[in-house]
Amino acid sequence: MLQAHTNSGGHILGNGFLAFIWAALMVCTAITVLVARVDLGFLNVVAALGVATAKALLVILFFMHLRYENSLLRWMVFMAFVILAICIGFTFFDLAWRP
Amino acid sequence: MTEMHKDYAAAKMGMWLFLFTEILLFGGLFLLYAAYRHRFVLAFHQAGQALDVVLGGANTVVLITSSLFVALSITALQQGRKVRCQWFLALTILMALVFLVNKYFEWSAKFSHGIYPGSEHLAQLPQGQALFYSLYFAMTGLHGIHVLLGAALLGVVMAFVARDRVRQDDYVLLENAGLYWHLVDLVWIYLFPLFYLIS
């Protein structure tokens, strides 16, 4: 009974699975370094941020265990990032159209 | 016998709430970076080329690997393998120290070129480049403090594991310390491309 109160309900991530996530993160890092060497203009920024976001998702969902948490916590984290996106996005609505 | 009630879900939610404040703290700095980068595209491009991609890349590998180690330490404790858990925590702290030593060499190289906060050389650079380096020192510096605090926190948890205050049936403190450590990794995942690669 004590167990149910004090841990995450016994959901354990396997060593092999964690190593797989690590390998995926390493591949992403290699991709982002290699893509940066090619001059794609503005697309370089898009690629760098896209790969970084893919890496962030891997860390949040699996290393930080969010994929296996209850929906309340998942929505809370989602909303925190939505607020950050609004903050950055609205600033750029202003900046981008400023002469 | 009265058992002290521990609310696992609330402990973890509290940690996440704290992490939200950290996300918004760094988020504000990223916003500042984005706004100035938008205004001084060329200067940011030129200043960014002076940063060492190899050192930055090495530190990326170090931090991601340390994130794996802390996740493995949680798995080990869940399986009741206490010594293995302690070893992975020790490795995580070692990776944090490697990161900071790399950062020391990187900053030293900049300092020897007269580039440090408040230096005369920095004041003479074009405005955009001076802003880039100021943001670079402020953001990697704040991140470095987080690495130091995270490593210290993991050290405390390691001592708690040794004394069975954190154990197989009560390990939320280890999980929360792990969450903090992953956040440190998360911030670096964005710092690395924005400062070292986009140039």
Side-chain angles (χ1 to χ4, degrees):
Chain A
M1 208 46 220
L2 181 69
Q3 196 126 350
H5 286 293
T6 52
N7 68 28
S8 56
H11 186 272
I12 301 177
L13 291 171
N15 296 323
F17 179 73
L18 290 172
F20 174 75
I21 298 298
W22 174 83
L25 287 167
M26 285 294 138
V27 170
C28 286
T29 305
I31 289 172
T32 194
V33 171
L34 291 175
V35 169
R37 287 163 179 252
V38 189
D39 189 8
L40 300 170
F42 182 69
L43 278 180
N44 276 120
V45 183
V46 177
L49 288 179
V51 175
T53 302
K55 287 166 78 179
L57 277 174
L58 285 174
V59 169
I60 291 169
L61 290 178
F62 302 109
F63 279 176
M64 295 175 96
H65 211 260
L66 197 66
R67 166 106 172 64
Y68 314 97
E69 299 294 346
N70 61 49
S71 59
L72 173 62
L73 196 56
R74 291 211 302 259
W75 278 105
M76 280 172 63
V77 176
F78 178 70
M79 283 313 295
F81 282 101
V82 167
I83 289 167
L84 183 63
I86 289 172
C87 182
I88 293 176
F90 277 33
T91 306
F92 272 85
F93 282 149
D94 178 71
L95 275 178
W97 278 279
R98 210 173 259 262
Chain B
M1 178 180 145
T2 53
E3 190 73 53
M4 197 171 79
H5 177 71
K6 285 200 178 183
D7 191 332
Y8 167 81
K12 211 166 195 184
M13 188 181 285
M15 189 65 200
W16 272 103
L17 285 173
F18 169 64
L19 294 189
F20 294 165
T21 71
E22 293 275 36
I23 289 167
L24 292 177
L25 168 67
F26 280 100
L29 287 168
F30 278 118
L31 180 58
L32 204 59
Y33 170 93
Y36 277 130
R37 193 192 145 75
H38 179 77
R39 188 158 162 203
F40 300 100
V41 177
L42 203 64
F44 269 51
H45 175 87
Q46 286 164 344
Q49 279 175 333
L51 295 189
D52 192 332
V53 180
V54 176
L55 271 181
N59 263 353
T60 305
V61 172
V62 165
L63 268 197
I64 289 175
T65 306
S66 75
S67 254
L68 169 70
F69 286 157
V70 85
L72 286 173
S73 81
I74 293 170
T75 294
L77 197 63
Q78 285 172 323
Q79 294 168 338
R81 296 153 89 179
K82 179 177 156 184
V83 176
R84 185 181 158 91
C85 167
Q86 287 172 300
W87 270 111
F88 276 123
L89 283 177
L91 282 172
T92 310
I93 294 167
L94 181 71
M95 289 286 127
L97 295 178
V98 170
F99 179 92
L100 289 173
V101 169
N102 271 349
K103 192 98 271 171
Y104 166 79
F105 284 119
E106 196 188 319
W107 276 30
S108 301
K110 287 280 159 294
F111 286 9
S112 68
H113 288 106
I115 297 173
Y116 51 88
S119 77
E120 280 177 36
H121 181 63
L122 200 61
Q124 285 159 3
L125 284 175
Q127 196 190 2
Q129 290 199 26
L131 279 168
F132 177 89
Y133 285 118
S134 299
L135 282 168
Y136 162 75
F137 282 118
M139 292 175 80
T140 61
L142 186 64
H143 178 261
I145 292 171
H146 279 76
V147 171
L148 206 58
L149 287 175
L153 179 62
L154 288 170
V156 170
V157 173
M158 209 174 134
F160 279 14
V161 171
R163 290 173 192 183
D164 286 326
R165 282 182 66 176
V166 170
R167 54 184 186 274
Q168 188 179 7
D169 58 8
D170 182 6
Y171 55 82
V172 72
L173 187 66
L174 172 62
E175 279 198 297
N176 283 348
L179 283 177
Y180 186 81
W181 191 253
H182 293 308
L183 180 93
V184 169
D185 186 20
L186 215 54
V187 171
W188 185 259
I189 282 174
Y190 282 95
L191 282 179
F192 173 59
L194 288 178
F195 279 101
Y196 296 79
L197 293 180
I198 303 181
S199 57

